[in-house]
Amino acid sequence: MITRVTTQMSMAAATNRLQAGAAKLAQLTEQATTLKTIGRPSDDPVGTASAMQVRKEQAANAQYTRNANDAAGWLANTDSALSDVHSVLSKVRDLTVQAANAGTMNSADREAIATQLKGLAADLAASANATYGTRSVFAGSSTAATVYDPATGWASSTAPVDRRIGDGSTVRVDTDGTEVFGSGATSVFATIGSIVDDLQQGVDVNPRLKDLDAHLTTVRGAQADVGVRHAAAIAAQSSLKSSSVDLEARRSSIEDKDLAKAVLDLQLQQTNYQAALAVTAKVLQPTLMDYLR
C-alpha cells in the first residue's frame, strides 16, 4: 500500500525538524554562555542523578574538613598547654631539688622558694583552664568559664568531645584534666602545696621528688596521647583535601562544559540549522493554494 504524502504533511514534518533544530541551537547557546552541560534535570536525567550524588559527597567532605580543622586546632592548643605544664613542673622539680640539697637554708631562703612554688602553682592552674575558643581543653563538653578552681577543685565531669573526620572515623579532641593534673590529695596542686608546707615547717622535701616525677611522667604520657590524636587529625585534613580535589573533578566532568567544545558544537549546530532552513525553503515550493489564500 502506497501512503499518500501531501504538501501539508511535508510542511508539518519540516516544521518539526526545524523546531527541533532551533531547540538544539538554543540549548547549545545556553551551554556556551553558562559553560554548564546540565541546565535543568531534563537535559540529562542520568547525569543529574550522578551530579546530585557527587554534590552530596562534597557536602559530607566539607563537613568532615571543618571537623578535622576544629580537631587539629583543639589538639594543638591542648599540646601547647601540656608543654607549658611540663615546663612548669620541671621548674617545680628544680626548686624542690635545690631546697632538698641546701642543708643550711634559713627560713628566709625557704620562704623565697615557697613563694616561687606558689607562683608556679598559679601558672599550672591557668594551664588547667586553657581554652580553645570558648571551650576548655581539659573539661570535655563543659561550658563552665573556669573548670579548675584552686579552692573547690575541678568542675563536675562531663562527656568527652569527639569529632567525626570521615565515614566511621572519629577523633577525641578533649583531654581529661583530672587524668593530667590529678584530683584531691593526689593532684599536682596538692603535691606542690605539701612541698610549700614542708619548706615553711623546715621539713625535708626530698621525698616529694618521687611524687613530682610521677606527675611529670603522667604529663609526658598525656602529651604522647594528644600527639597521636593530633597526627590523626592532620592526616585527615590532608586526605580530605585530596578528596575535595577529586570530587570537584568528578562534578566538573559531569556538569561543566569545555569552552572550546561548546563553541565548536554551537557553530556546527548553527551551520546545520542554516542548511536545514535553506533545504526546507527549496523543497517546499509555494503551491497554487498559497496564491489563492
Side-chain angles (χ1 to χ4, degrees), residues 154-172:
W154 291 94
S156 55
S157 60
T158 57
V161 180
D162 295 331
R163 291 288 182 266
R164 184 172 293 279
I165 56 176
D167 290 335
S169 177
T170 61
V171 60
R172 181 177 177 180

Side-chain angles (χ1 to χ4, degrees), residues 33-221:
T33 303
T34 63
L35 292 181
K36 294 292 183 182
T37 302
I38 304 174
R40 55 192 63 82
S42 59
D43 291 342
D44 184 357
V46 175
T48 299
S50 299
M52 290 177 63
Q53 178 60 34
V54 172
R55 286 184 175 276
K56 179 181 178 182
E57 293 177 21
Q58 284 183 308
N61 189 83
Q63 183 60 59
Y64 292 148
T65 299
R66 288 191 291 271
N67 293 348
N69 292 341
D70 184 69
W74 189 312
L75 291 166
N77 274 30
T78 304
D79 184 65
S80 178
L82 288 172
S83 295
D84 292 341
V85 170
H86 189 276
S87 177
V88 170
L89 279 178
S90 296
K91 293 178 182 178
V92 170
R93 190 183 190 284
D94 291 342
L95 287 172
T96 304
V97 169
Q98 178 183 338
N101 293 334
T104 58
M105 289 182 64
N106 55 40
S107 59
D109 294 333
R110 290 194 298 272
E111 188 60 37
I113 292 179
T115 300
Q116 292 183 64
L117 290 175
K118 290 177 183 178
L120 292 173
D123 292 340
L124 284 177
S127 294
N129 287 306
T131 60
Y132 174 65
T134 59
R135 304 287 294 278
S136 169
V137 299
F138 292 120
S141 58
S142 174
T143 57
T146 302
V147 296
Y148 177 77
D149 187 326
T152 59
W154 291 94
S156 55
S157 60
T158 57
V161 180
D162 295 331
R163 291 288 182 266
R164 184 172 293 279
I165 56 176
D167 290 335
S169 177
T170 61
V171 60
R172 181 177 177 180
V173 296
D174 73 303
T175 301
D176 191 339
T178 59
E179 293 181 2
V180 176
F181 298 91
S183 61
T186 61
S187 72
V188 65
F189 303 104
T191 298
I192 295 175
S194 297
I195 295 172
V196 170
D197 290 341
D198 290 346
L199 283 171
Q200 292 175 335
Q201 296 172 13
V203 177
D204 182 17
V205 296
N206 192 61
R208 303 295 182 183
L209 291 173
K210 182 179 179 180
D211 296 332
L212 289 175
D213 288 339
H215 288 303
L216 282 167
T217 299
T218 298
V219 172
R220 283 194 293 268

Side-chain angles (χ1 to χ4, degrees), residues 1 146 170 172 226 285 292:
M1 179 178 178
T146 302
T170 61
R172 181 177 177 180
V226 168
Q285 297 291 338
L292 295 177

